[in-house]
Amino acid sequence: MFWASPDLNTFNSTTDGDIFLDTLEPTMISVNDSVLHTLTLNFSSLQASQVGEYVCRALVDDGTNTSNVITSNYSVSVQVPTPVVTSSLNTTGRIFESNEIQLLCIVIITLLDVDQTVTINWFGPNGLITMNDAKYSISTGEINSTTNGSSLAFTASLSDNGTDYYCTASVGPASNVNGFELILPATAMSTNTTITVEIVPLPIISITDVGIPVTGDSFQLVCTGTAPANVSSIATVSVQWLLNGTVFTDDTLEGVTVTNSGSMATLSFSSLNASTHERDDYTCEATLSIPDVPTTKIASIMHSLQTLTNPVVMIRSSQPYFAGQIYSLNCTVTIVAGVLNITWFNSSGNELMEGNGISFNLVTVSDTVQRYDLIFNSLDYSDIGVYTCQASLTVDRGGGDLFNGTGSANATVSIRIPLPQVSISPDGNSPLIHGTVRTVSCSVVFTPPLPTNPDVSFTVFKDDDQVSFENSSRLIAVQTGTTGALTFQPLNFSDAGNYTCTATARDNANNPLIIPSSASDEYIATVQAIPVPNITFTTTTGRSLGESLTLNCTVNVLDDLYNINATSSIVRDGELITSATGSGDTTAMIMIDSLRSSDAGDYQCIVNITQPDIDYEFNGIESTEVMLTLPTPSVIVEYNATGHLVDGELAEGQFLDIMCIADISQYIDTSVSVTMSWRRNNTVLTNGSDFTISPPVMTNNQYTGVLRINSLRDELDNGASYNCSVSVTPNTLFILAGNDNSSAVTLTVSRFDINHIDISINIPSVPVAGDVFNLSCFIVVPPNFVENLTSVRWTYDLEASRDVTSENNDATLVPVVRNGNIFTSVLTLDPVKTTDARQYYCYPTILVFNYVDRTNRDLTVQISPPSVSIVADPPTGPIYESTGYLLTCTATVNTTIVNTPVTASVVWTDPSGNVIPTNEARRQVIPPTGNSFLSMLLFQPIDTGLNNDGGTYTCQMIINSSNSLIASSQPTDTLTVTVERLPSMTVDFSSVGLIEVGQSLTITCTVTTVERLAVTPLITFIKLNDTDMEMLSNLNRPYSITTDDTGSVTNYTLILDPVRFEDAGMYTCMAEFNVTGFNNTNDPSTATYDSQEDSDTFNLLITLPPPSVSIVADPPTGPIYESTSYLLTCTATVNTTIVNTPVTASVVWTDPSGSVIPINDTRPQVTPPTGNSLVSMLVFQPIDTGRNNDGGTYTCQMIINSGNSLIASSQPTNATLTVTVESLPPMTVNFSSVGSVEVGQSLTITCTITTVERLVVSPMITFIKMNDTDIEMLSNLNRPYSITTDGTGSVTNYTLILDPVRFEDAGMYTCMAEFNVTGFNNTNDPSTATYDSQEDSDVFNLTVDFPPVIVTISKEHDDTLYAGTPFFIKCDIMLDPLVTIPVDVTNQWTRDGTNVPMGSSDATITEDLNMINTSHYNATLMFNPLDNADDSGMYTCNVEVTAPNSYMYLRNTSASANTGSITVNATPVPVVEIVTMGIAEPGEEYMLSCTVTVVDRLIISPVITWTKRSANNAISVPPVLMTVSNVMSSLYLRFSSLNTSDAGLYTCEAFINVSQISIVARSNDTSTLPLESKHNDNSD
């Protein structure tokens, strides 16, 4: 038995328990008996690395073999120990909103003997927190081998208060162990950590002042800020004063200093000024902050500062009333505190007392506002004048200190004259006619009461525009007393409209307090047009071409119109023919003697009538048509077939043109359309495959049309009649077509037969095999024949069983070509072969006529000459004595085209013309044999001494065939052989003699002899210098010895790479050879004796390498402008690795004209290289294109020199650069800012000055601001600004920062720049440079907009409004605190879009505009009282804020607000009640009380009267019996001592006149005065 580990390694063990184990292995205990065998695997300390599947195997051994192997597996797994997880808050102290919070999670694990991982997760109020959560920041890492940590950080907010956070940790293996996942991970969770977040509280703020100060006193406002108790120990509070949202400084308000000392801020007023210091927006702001808490809290409180000043008195008065009406002056007094007394005074300064039609009414509006009304019960002309309301104020300030102040205001009382009665009407009852003379009159009747001397004036409006009374020739105005007249002479349409006559009644003495009164009446004038004149347009009879025609155009105008200009014109097709002009009825007439077609058309009678006085114009038109009929044309039909006939007849297949000729009338001079229709035997013909019809073409008055019969047919056309019908249709209106006409022609056509065609085959020459050859078959058809051949076949036999092209792949049939009446079919043989010599047949077919015909011709073919060539060996070059030579003659026959058996024979001829026999010994001839076409002539050797073998040799090859139809070919070829004496052997070096050190050099010695020379030359190669001589093999440098394929050229090559200074010297190469006898046998009888030698030398000289030269421009790119600095830098570069000795450089600069620029030139300055420097510069200061044109190509030449005499100077190296100098572009000055901005916003104004780069002078820049009063430089504006220049120096920005924009910033900003460049380096030397002077400027107008105006509107109350009651609408206008300049605030009240009160005749409406302070205005619209007829509607308060005219760069603003719809109801009828005292006895006192109840706040007091009815008569009660009480509007009727005559029926009536409407109310019950008689009782 044995155990195997998870990796299947067997544990060391024996059955008796004698076990030797590794430290990581478990122990094994073996227990055996006869039946049960146990092997126990004991893990004393199970490790994670020991997990896996363990195998127990048992083998039974019976002594002979092993069998019955039993296996059992068991999986061992390990549970990871649970980690210890704790979380804690790592933020100390109290946590407030916006504090940073950090939580820590610590995980302690038990180490395993395998790699393990720890995963930490955080959980918050919303569950799992991921790394992508923007609110949180998570960091995780290993603290040590057993401890891991994670932090969770976030910014606290109030929503985090009371939330819980915890972390979890999971520990597991990093990967599988032993291939099994048997290590079980463990997870643990920490306890919750609760977060407590506190809110940063608001500070507590308070303001302390002492009483109400007096103008001129010193005064302090103290603001204190404290922290709430819960943070008082850790928080600090800072306090500051603000005004208009801006921190208060000592410069904010004149005479006010501010002291800030931590939690207290004090405003100190040295001398109070009500207009400056009395404001309601003093703001104290306290800021609470806590250390290490980013959030701060701000609280603020506003304080309204008021001063003790004189009472503010304001009078609101009613609009002027008519005499006899009630009128009031409302005096409103505003104070801060104290005791107030108000008194009214008249124009004489006398205090007014109640009585004599005057009463007073005191109303307490508020604790600080009282109103004291002066009431005129019945206004009279004597009441006009100036009235003064005076207020006296006493204030006890304590300690016996009294403040006494007075104030007053004046108001003027005026009376309006009663409205007059006005009427306006025209003279007569007839309608107003355009062009007639009419008068419109306006009359007036005065309405009493009137002033002493009333007067009247008239104003006439037409369509709301006033009519000027300046008399003209057409409009005359006259006023007579109370009547005005307006006369129109004559009337114009523009006089129509709505005429309003306004009569104004005024005081003749022009007393300004007696207000004129106006009334109006309207008359709507309608001006009727002049009746349309009568136009007649008549013609006389005449409607045929060539006859006469008369047309009359007559206009009749009305007789009563004057100064009329009438023009009558006759126009045809827009062209004037004739016209007549008169002052009345007018007639224009035309007569046409002979009508032509162009006379047809639409004739118009056009009438124009004008009247210049009234700008009257009439245009009328009448039309008539002149219709003409075209005559019948003449028609001729014919054809011309001359020259096209076959045997005098037309034949089938020909085309035929039949012409139709039509003549039209000479009177037709307009465009007509001539159409021709064709018929064959009454069948209409159309364009198609059978016929081609050409439209008619006009020549003079003759039209010709053509009918082409595309192909004549005997069965159709023979004897057929072709008819042409002509129709002439006019192309213009008013011309009628005439009758059509026709004519015809009859044809005779013969049937097509074989006699109409001719066929022939053309073979121009005997073709040579191999050529491309054409056999042509010509088929000639009749003239004008239009049918095509159906096919053309070529065959070899008469039966035409197969086509040539199907039997011969080299034969192609070219498509048939037609040229007129000749068809050509070409059979192409490409190439011609000897087998093509045979008979050929041509078969043309015209299927349409069932025509087939043929012809034939034999073709003979000649054998093509073979290609014969003589090839020499050697093939080229001269042939020298003592060399071998061979001539080979080859004939090549193209068996593809010569495809019959052939043979060849040869004849060689020497230069003397003798045939060389085949059996000669020295010149051996080898003839062709069998099918071979090759023969050779061999020279061994060739000679020019004893035997002169030079000359021309001829080889003739004869090609024969056994076929008699194939001709023989006898081509020849020649070759001229020139045998020369053996040339001299040559020895040559092929290398340069001067080379730069460091380069590579190959020195080659070439030994050249003739090819096939019998001997090899002996060659020697040596180098000689000042000290020694070396053979090639001893130079220790690479070399090679090579011979070409011919053996005639031998190269000895020495490779110097790189060339060194020691390689300099003289190299020598020598060669020699000897030749004696034939094949070098020393036999002078067979060859010439030759012996030769030669040598060459090569001197190697080392030079410096040429430098690399470049020119760099500064600036490198972009245009180069005059008056700028410019630099060219020329740099030479050498390879110091190779040139390792000191060198110097010399330079030559050449200008664009090719002249060398001297070193001492002053304007372009040349800086030569100095010392070891290899740099030269050419400086232009400045460069020019005016007097000195510096543009062009500059050349810099550099030469490198050495002080060593053995080292030659380098070759000159040039570099060029083309310089283009441009004229100086204009300097630009531009503002880049908006044109308007609202005050309080921020604005950056930037002026950009742009010049070219490297300008030799700097522009002088001026930046100014100009407004309505002064001009300021940029530096004097006391506003932040900056001046910046870009890196190139070409762009300069002047930037002014307005933050915030103030009113005084408005104005015109001007930016100017200028510069002057004079002479070289600005030396004012015009001989050296162009004079440049530039300037530019830009203007930016800054318009400052007023900030928005806040307009709010309020009503006195929202109760039901009744006519006769007072009412006001208040409009509050709030300017933005940023408005610090004096402004003009105006308002205009409108009702339903109409101005109030100018657009209203209601005199009870008053308006007033008051300034509360510089930022607060209010406007009040008073109704004293309301009028239900005029005062209903929507009221709008329209406000406009304008700056003084001196602020021309400020933009005014406006705003409005409305009340919505206001409805004024009619005044309810008063309620009248009578209260009696019962029955009274004569002699007693008795009273009747009449109480009148009216609507609340009714201004108009009721007039109460008593009447007594007795004996059917109503009499007024004497006033002495009546007492009026102002209380409850009661009138008492008092009888001091009743008597019987007082008995009767009494009626009480109340009368109210509201808005000129009288309301009368009576008591429901009349009162009968009862009397009780007194009796004396005389009793006994």
Side-chain angles (χ1 to χ4, degrees), residues 697-711:
V697 177
M698 184 187 76
T699 302
N700 295 325
N701 286 338
Q702 186 178 82
Y703 284 80
T704 301
V706 178
L707 169 68
R708 168 167 289 188
I709 304 173
N710 294 332
S711 181

Side-chain angles (χ1 to χ4, degrees), residues 2 59 211 508 881 966 1301 1502 1509:
F2 63 88
L59 296 87
N508 194 28
E881 61 181 351
I966 301 174
V1301 174
R1509 181 174 298 277

Side-chain angles (χ1 to χ4, degrees), residues 136-175:
Y136 300 98
S137 174
I138 300 176
S139 177
T140 303
E142 182 179 294
I143 300 174
N144 53 45
S145 61
T146 60
T147 306
N148 286 263
S150 177
S151 66
L152 176 69
F154 59 93
T155 301
S157 63
L158 293 178
S159 62
D160 293 320
N161 184 38
T163 57
D164 293 331
Y165 290 83
Y166 65 91
C167 64
T168 64
S170 177
V171 183
S175 61

Side-chain angles (χ1 to χ4, degrees), residues 1498-1512:
L1498 187 66
I1499 290 179
I1500 307 300
S1501 299
V1503 177
I1504 306 173
T1505 60
W1506 281 97
T1507 58
K1508 174 187 176 185
R1509 181 174 298 277
S1510 176
N1512 295 324

Side-chain angles (χ1 to χ4, degrees), residues 560-583:
D560 55 350
L561 294 179
Y562 65 97
N563 199 17
I564 291 295
N565 295 321
T567 300
S568 176
S569 304
I570 298 178
V571 175
R572 184 190 67 216
D573 299 331
E575 180 181 356
L576 177 65
I577 299 177
T578 185
S579 65
T581 302
S583 60

